[in-house]
Amino acid sequence: MLDCAIIGGGPAGMTAGLYATRGGLKNVVLFEKGMPGGQITQSSEIENYPGFFEHGKTGMDFMDTWQEQVFHFGLEHRLDEVKQVRKEGDHFVIEIAGGEPVEAKTVVVGTGSTPKRAGFKGEEEFFGKGVSTCATCDGFFYKNKEVAVLGGGDTALEEAHYLSNICSKVYVVHRRDTFRAAPSTVDRVMRTENIELITDTTVEEVVGDAMGVTGIKLKNKKSGEETLLEVPGVFVFVGHDVNNHVLKDGEGNFICDVNEQGQVIVDLSMRTSLEGLFAAGDLRIEAPKQVVCAAGDGAVAALQVISYIQEQA
Ligand code: FAD
Ligand code: NAP
């Protein structure tokens, strides 16, 4: 039986693994369905993680620096998708996609979040054919072309700035006239010549043909005026949904308390309402959704796991 199963290899899970193994736990496995790193690997630049301030370095470059350290003390990575976590008596059973169930004394869930869809007409049909949620992955396809970015948060504005270095013009379409993004990011975007802000405007539909997207239909919320913006690419950055499905039982009920948005309710020690189960990072309540905070959560959770196992012995 594992001392600890960690689900999710983003900053929260990787840090939990580092602290758990360096803190003396022997059988600790990180279940990560892809390569460890998490959603920050999609970021074009990271400049707010203390100690890492290298201009032009991507989220992928940044997470590369974590690999050697977090696996140095015995943490094992299993390239597996976890389907479900349940408690049987005093231990947990981890159901793996296409594999044998694994038993563990404790579980740290750090499955993070995934980009939301905006919900405009044609979004699903053209997803991957001009509609994208990753500028670092797909931006290059639009070199010297015009693209649109949807959203007014940090992700939308930071990625719009990144795209402005590749594309001839970037239109940022936002449904209000004030932005959720950090003021410094808003300033930077406003000072960028080839970014145009289209505010108080919604995307009604994305249009295209067999080759992909050709444009988006916009509607001004104040005037009601409808226009067609001819662009071959649309980047959607309208927030994230938490990945909590591993915490649902066969009837669809959560095994621990969650709030209305499905975020896992934890205390300051990252303990959930179910003994032995901890949650860390973006999927917990009131998560600041920052790498440094997710990493901090992972460390806190692992230290609690160590105490919990010592108490149970
Ligand atoms: P995640 O990073 O989401 O990692 C969760 C991991 O769990 C993923 O690797 C996923 O594959 C895995 N997983 C999910 N479900 C399962 C399953 N069932 N089985 C196995 N594995 C599973 N923060 C900053 O501090 N600074 C920034 O500059 C910044 N820029 C950002 C730019 C972008 C484009 C985005 C999207 C986010 C940015 N963030 C930034 C936010 C930051 O990336 C997140 O707050 C942080 O990654 C959350 O870490 P996490 O470990 O909680 O979750
Ligand atoms: P977010 O802060 O939730 O912003 C989402 C944006 O999309 C908002 O402007 C919202 O508009 C808009 N929106 C939501 N649904 C929409 C819809 N259906 N149609 C059109 N627009 C819609 O999400 P995020 O930018 O991805 O950021 C998530 C978290 O990660 C935040 O806490 C953020 O601070 C953090 N993050 C931090 C950094 C950084 O520190 N450098 C970088 C990236 C992300 P309204 O404003 O009108 O609601």
Side-chain angles (χ1 to χ4, degrees), residues 3-4 15-17 19-21 23 25 92 105-108 266-272 274-280 295-313:
D3 280 336
C4 183
T15 309
Y19 273 71
T21 49
L25 296 188
F92 291 87
K105 293 179 193 167
T106 59
V107 174
V108 176
V266 291
D267 65 12
L268 287 174
S269 298
M270 303 302 138
R271 282 185 294 232
T272 70
L274 185 63
E275 213 175 89
L277 176 69
F278 301 80
D297 283 5
V300 170
L303 294 174
Q304 287 303 316
V305 162
I306 294 167
S307 303
Y308 177 83
I309 288 177
Q310 281 170 344
E311 282 162 20
Q312 303 292 306

Side-chain angles (χ1 to χ4, degrees), residues 146-150 169-174 196-198 201-208 213-219 225-235:
E146 298 195 344
V147 294
V149 163
L150 178 60
K169 181 148 188 177
V170 180
Y171 298 92
V172 175
V173 181
H174 179 38
E196 182 177 331
L197 303 178
I198 305 179
T201 298
T202 53
V203 174
E204 298 294 293
E205 184 179 354
V206 58
V207 292
V213 168
T214 54
I216 47 175
K217 288 185 181 168
L218 303 178
K219 185 172 184 178
E225 187 192 355
E226 293 189 356
T227 48
L228 175 70
L229 183 65
E230 291 185 19
V231 283
V234 187
F235 290 85

Side-chain angles (χ1 to χ4, degrees), residues 129-143:
K129 298 175 201 150
V131 177
S132 169
T133 54
C134 181
T136 40
C137 320
D138 299 330
F140 193 74
F141 297 131
Y142 306 99
K143 194 168 168 56

Side-chain angles (χ1 to χ4, degrees), residues 59-71:
M60 188 74 90
D61 299 328
F62 169 64
M63 290 313 291
D64 263 357
T65 65
W66 290 41
Q67 300 283 344
E68 189 184 348
Q69 184 186 16
V70 299
F71 293 109

Side-chain angles (χ1 to χ4, degrees), residues 84 248-254:
Q84 193 190 52
K248 283 183 180 168
D249 65 17
E251 272 86 53
N253 300 313
F254 286 102

Side-chain angles (χ1 to χ4, degrees), residues 8 10-12 32-33 38-40 48 82 110 112-113 281-282 289-291:
E32 165 55 60
K33 62 184 177 182
Q39 54 179 292
I40 190 64
N48 57 4
V82 171
S113 56
D282 275 16
K289 300 198 175 66
Q290 295 289 292
V291 173

Side-chain angles (χ1 to χ4, degrees), residues 1-61:
M1 180 168 327
L2 300 179
D3 280 336
C4 183
I6 298 168
I7 305 169
M14 288 174 88
T15 309
L18 167 65
Y19 273 71
T21 49
R22 193 167 177 274
L25 296 188
K26 295 286 176 238
N27 304 310
V28 184
V29 171
L30 178 81
F31 295 90
E32 165 55 60
K33 62 184 177 182
M35 288 314 292
Q39 54 179 292
I40 190 64
T41 57
Q42 299 206 344
S43 172
S44 51
E45 193 170 359
I46 176 156
E47 59 180 19
N48 57 4
Y49 193 91
F52 185 90
F53 193 49
E54 290 184 58
H55 184 64
K57 292 285 183 184
T58 64
M60 188 74 90
D61 299 328

